[in-house]
Amino acid sequence: MKVVIVGCGRVGAALAALLAAEGHETEVVDRCPRAAGRLPDSPRIRFHEGNGFSRAVLRDAGIGHADAFVAVTSRDNSNIVSARTAKDTYRVPIVLARVHDPRRADIYRDLGIPTVSGVRWTVHQFHRMLLHRHLSPELSFGNGESLLVRSEVPAYLVGRRLTEFDVDGEIRVVEVTRAGRSLIPAHSTTAQAGDLVTVAVAATALGRLRGFLDKELGT
């Protein structure tokens, strides 16, 4: 991939280093020339001094051929403008942005731009580590509002339909690994001893999920 990153703070520099290490061509834009010092020495990374919403700077960074664009400056207004320029003017297929004020996330959503909010993500992570540390997510979505969690099926569900585990809009079993083979459960699929289940769960429902996993038959 060819990725343009606007913002060379800790997040932008770390992302650029990770992408370059994986073999992706990475163009990094920042208005502070000293920010280039945060980047590793890599032939796959090029630094461009300037504003991320300057069309001249973006063209120099090769945005016309970019597969993805990421705006991670410390200023929400700059992120909005540069992300919208990448999406609307240059038709970059993947456009992502960081938002510091969660209230502005609605603006990005209306523009069709997925966001990562440091505040929301951090709150969800601390909440999980404090109260649900035994539920280790395999994957999280958005800013951590939805998670995929893997667990051995609780004993009280053995022989019963996995749909009994579901709570509409909060918890749903989406995959079962049985004897080393993966399957998507049907409505009639019953749990067997030793099953590993993948559960899609809202972060706000982790307490309920933990209760289900700890529940004993007859309680």
Side-chain angles (χ1 to χ4, degrees), residues 113-158:
I113 299 171
T115 64
V116 173
S117 169
V119 174
R120 287 181 177 174
W121 186 88
T122 302
V123 168
H124 284 304
Q125 292 302 306
F126 275 124
H127 179 261
R128 182 186 63 78
M129 288 187 286
L130 284 169
L131 302 179
H132 312 291
R133 59 188 180 278
H134 301 304
L135 297 179
S136 299
E138 296 284 317
L139 192 62
S140 64
F141 301 93
N143 294 306
E145 296 91 350
S146 301
L147 310 165
L148 286 183
V149 174
R150 292 268 284 169
S151 175
E152 186 171 348
V153 71
Y156 77 92
L157 269 180
V158 171

Side-chain angles (χ1 to χ4, degrees), residues 42-183:
S42 170
R44 296 189 178 94
I45 299 177
R46 288 202 311 157
F47 180 83
H48 306 266
E49 180 185 351
N51 288 315
F53 46 82
S54 165
R55 296 191 183 187
V57 173
L58 292 176
R59 285 195 298 268
D60 186 54
I63 195 169
H65 305 287
D67 299 296
F69 179 94
V70 184
V72 287
T73 76
S74 60
R75 300 171 302 280
D76 281 351
N77 286 340
S78 295
N79 290 341
I80 290 174
V81 173
S82 61
R84 189 168 186 179
T85 300
K87 181 178 177 64
D88 296 342
T89 303
Y90 295 100
R91 306 295 183 185
V92 179
I94 302 172
V95 177
L96 308 174
R98 186 182 187 186
V99 57
H100 298 272
D101 183 351
R103 294 171 297 182
R104 299 193 180 200
D106 290 341
I107 298 175
Y108 288 91
R109 186 179 64 244
D110 292 343
L111 295 173
I113 299 171
T115 64
V116 173
S117 169
V119 174
R120 287 181 177 174
W121 186 88
T122 302
V123 168
H124 284 304
Q125 292 302 306
F126 275 124
H127 179 261
R128 182 186 63 78
M129 288 187 286
L130 284 169
L131 302 179
H132 312 291
R133 59 188 180 278
H134 301 304
L135 297 179
S136 299
E138 296 284 317
L139 192 62
S140 64
F141 301 93
N143 294 306
E145 296 91 350
S146 301
L147 310 165
L148 286 183
V149 174
R150 292 268 284 169
S151 175
E152 186 171 348
V153 71
Y156 77 92
L157 269 180
V158 171
R160 297 161 65 175
R161 290 187 304 179
L162 286 169
T163 51
E164 294 184 35
F165 206 46
D166 295 350
V167 177
D168 193 38
E170 294 186 341
I171 298 171
R172 179 155 297 161
V173 178
V174 295
E175 183 271 347
V176 180
T177 301
R178 178 174 294 167
R181 296 179 62 85
S182 177
L183 61 96

Side-chain angles (χ1 to χ4, degrees), residues 30-37 47 49:
D30 198 288
R31 63 180 184 175
C32 177
R34 292 193 302 274
F47 180 83
E49 180 185 351

